[in-house]
Amino acid sequence: MNPAPSPLTETLRNKVPQITLAFWGIKIMATTVGETAADFLIFNVGLGLVVTSLIMSALLTGILAFQLKLREYVPTSYWLVVVLVSIVGTLVSDYMVDDLGISLVTTTIGFALALTATFLAWYASERTLSIHSIFTRRRELFYWAAILFTFALGTSAGDLIAEHFGLGYAFSAVIFGALIAAVYAAYRFGVDAVPTFWAAYILTRPFGASMGDLLSQPAHTGGLGLGTTGTSVLFLVTIAGLVGYLSITKKDKIERGATANPGA
């Protein structure tokens, strides 16, 4: 009799979505919500950075535990985890900078090293970094660890460019948008899908954060003055609509062995 498979290596259906235009749209909006929702809870609601961080981390832990128990990709659960990871990644970076006094240069380098270490451990264990090979819980754990560090890194890098170097939210968005376009061009010219996917995933975090600050912050600080409440609600409603559409149509669901877009 063969032994029962380990919970970490048990074969599942693919746990992540197909990479489509909707994927990138939701991801960027989730990134923006991570920035604005964190500010809303800290300042508008008045919870403060520490209490907000504890509440959102506990919520993320619970939803992620539910996500890990699923045997296949479910849009509502998957994207809820992404939104929460975006918020927590923002809070982690802000806590290190604002409360612990660590410089943005140091946090940017630190999160970049942590993400690199995650990728190295993932590849050493699984021999692939493809998001369309997430067929075991161990690979899914590596995946979510990488996602968390991309959000934390993106927050620090975005703030480093916009605030520390004083380039402003709009110019920062232009810079990161141009870098995303360059990564897409590299993919179209034949650069491997896996590194270009992860490069784009990292860059969309500071791009979305810069857009969130640009939309929500008051005009005298370089924003458009929509506020954190209005910006968060607008993007959350749009995300909910797109996720509902994908849940019904299943247009972003892939099966094992299917040909995928970037990240295959």
Side-chain angles (χ1 to χ4, degrees), residues 50-101:
V50 174
V51 173
T52 300
S53 299
L54 291 174
I55 292 174
M56 299 311 297
S57 296
L59 185 58
L60 171 60
T61 300
I63 298 300
L64 181 57
F66 174 79
Q67 164 67 20
L68 291 171
K69 288 184 177 180
L70 297 174
R71 297 187 59 82
E72 63 182 345
Y73 165 66
V74 177
T76 50
S77 176
Y78 174 88
W79 286 111
L80 181 56
V81 174
V82 171
V83 170
L84 290 172
V85 169
S86 177
I87 295 172
V88 171
T90 299
L91 292 169
V92 169
S93 176
D94 288 347
Y95 177 74
M96 294 178 70
V97 173
D98 297 339
D99 281 25
L100 299 183

